[in-house]
Amino acid sequence: MLRIENLAKQYRTGDRALQGVSFTVEAGQVVGLIGPSGAGKSTLIRCVNRLVEPTSGKILLGDRDIATASRSELRRIRRRIGMIFQEYALVERLTVMENVLSGRLGYVPFWRSFSRRFPQDDVDKAFALLGRVGLTDHADKRADALSGGQRQRVGIARALEQDPELLLIDEPTASLDPKTSRQIMRLIGEICRERNLPAIINIHDVVLAQMFVDRIIGLRAGEVVFDGAPDTLDNDALTAIYGEEDWTQMRRERDDDAEEEEEARAQEERMAGLA
Ligand code: ADP
């Protein structure tokens, strides 16, 4: 379980990126973090793993306060936080298997990681995880030979290889097509439930968030302005998060997308009728 209490971040420039942010993420719960650009989503995710130093407040993972952890404590805590990034951050010239095993680098002695020799247990676990994310047949391929969706699956397996207590996921679908995005979001949700893992996903696609997360937290100007179940995210809530103008624009784009999809489907049906 992750508990954030009264978290605030003011950058040296004076920007108040977060203020009075409090919420709890239960084990197995996937939280989608939404909000307009500059709302503080990245700052929040980065405070949780202390890539950004919080100004005040608590970030409790179990009974440890990440916000005030010493350097050595922080190293231990970070091993328990799995990160999944938009850009996948894979090592291109290494194989899929080696990339997954690199999730263990914080644990294995330096000489072993350097010679890329990992304990058999870690290798077995990596194989099982590759099976779970549907990449068993790709274990020996180089990372740079994979598609975007496959790369994100490697990213997920790598984060799980370190036995995390929490997943932080930053824009996991930003470079993926709509169908692959849905597959990746579904996989993340399933895995969190199976492993009872809490997760925070920074996601700009509201529709996708509504389809696949358990709960949505909406940030605006550094404050939580919505916190609830996806099906309670109505027009008023979206206006509170994005403001009238931006939300109207988003709605228009969303309606356009829906219309396009409808048209494509009708076209397919006409073609099928002709055949
Ligand atoms: P989001 O991820 O929702 O787009 P950010 O967390 O990146 O929002 O930014 C929140 C606010 O903090 C913005 O006003 C942004 O300009 C400011 N900010 C972000 N990073 C820094 C930084 N390194 N230094 C100063 N201000 C920053």
Side-chain angles (χ1 to χ4, degrees):
M1 188 183 85
L2 174 74
R3 196 158 98 229
I4 295 180
E5 287 179 8
N6 232 344
L7 185 66
K9 170 64 187 177
Q10 180 164 20
Y11 285 104
R12 280 200 206 109
T13 49
D15 278 282
R16 284 178 193 277
L18 296 173
Q19 34 196 339
V21 171
S22 299
F23 60 87
T24 299
V25 187
E26 303 290 344
Q29 187 176 56
V30 180
V31 168
L33 199 57
I34 64 170
S37 180
K41 304 182 296 295
S42 319
T43 301
L44 177 51
I45 295 229
R46 282 157 190 256
C47 280
V48 175
N49 62 13
R50 283 264 302 271
L51 286 175
V52 164
E53 287 293 329
T55 307
S56 59
K58 287 186 178 166
I59 304 165
L60 300 158
L61 183 60
D63 51 7
R64 293 155 304 185
D65 185 0
I66 299 174
T68 54
S70 66
R71 268 182 180 280
S72 59
E73 272 178 295
L74 194 57
R75 253 197 308 276
R76 279 195 299 275
I77 293 170
R78 277 191 184 142
R79 285 181 202 161
R80 292 296 189 184
I81 302 180
M83 294 283 301
I84 300 172
F85 307 91
Q86 165 189 345
E87 298 301 340
Y88 323 112
L90 303 183
V91 184
E92 301 293 338
R93 59 190 175 75
L94 295 187
T95 65
V96 165
M97 180 54 125
E98 286 164 339
N99 269 282
V100 174
L101 283 166
S102 73
R104 292 297 287 180
L105 285 186
Y107 299 87
V108 294
F110 176 71
W111 65 271
R112 282 203 189 217
S113 60
F114 189 68
S115 61
R116 296 197 216 145
R117 286 175 50 186
F118 289 84
Q120 190 59 40
D121 282 356
D122 290 355
V123 176
D124 293 346
K125 185 159 72 172
F127 256 118
L129 287 169
L130 283 173
R132 178 63 189 89
V133 300
L135 289 179
T136 305
D137 296 341
H138 300 277
D140 297 327
K141 277 195 185 153
R142 270 173 56 141
D144 54 12
L146 301 181
S147 71
Q150 290 170 333
R151 294 166 65 84
Q152 194 54 290
R153 287 168 192 272
V154 178
I156 294 169
R158 182 183 52 188
L160 296 174
E161 176 77 10
Q162 68 185 82
D163 288 328
E165 288 173 32
L166 168 71
L167 285 181
L168 297 177
I169 311 178
D170 196 18
E171 293 284 4
T173 62
S175 355
L176 302 178
D177 63 71
K179 185 172 168 209
T180 310
S181 297
R182 290 194 292 273
Q183 289 169 341
I184 292 294
M185 287 297 290
R186 188 174 299 119
L187 180 64
I188 290 171
E190 285 170 1
I191 283 175
C192 288
R193 276 185 285 278
E194 280 165 23
R195 300 181 161 240
N196 223 16
L197 263 176
I200 302 182
I201 307 187
N202 178 1
I203 182 165
H204 78 278
D205 186 328
V206 176
V207 181
L208 201 59
Q210 277 187 294
M211 282 163 82
F212 293 105
V213 305
D214 303 313
R215 171 176 165 203
I216 288 180
I217 291 182
L219 281 182
R220 183 171 193 187
E223 292 185 78
V224 175
V225 294
F226 176 85
D227 184 350
D231 59 3
T232 62
L233 187 73
D234 56 15
N235 285 349
D236 288 345
L238 284 160
T239 304
I241 300 167
Y242 291 98
E244 186 61 52
E245 209 170 307
D246 285 355
W247 162 230
T248 311
Q249 174 65 22
M250 276 172 58
R251 189 161 42 190
R252 213 173 289 135
E253 281 167 14
R254 202 171 71 161
D255 290 348
D256 287 351
D257 284 354
E259 238 169 66
E260 255 170 50
E261 207 161 299
E262 189 64 31
E263 177 54 32
R265 207 174 305 130
Q267 174 82 8
E268 272 167 27
E269 274 168 19
R270 279 198 294 277
M271 299 297 280
L274 289 174

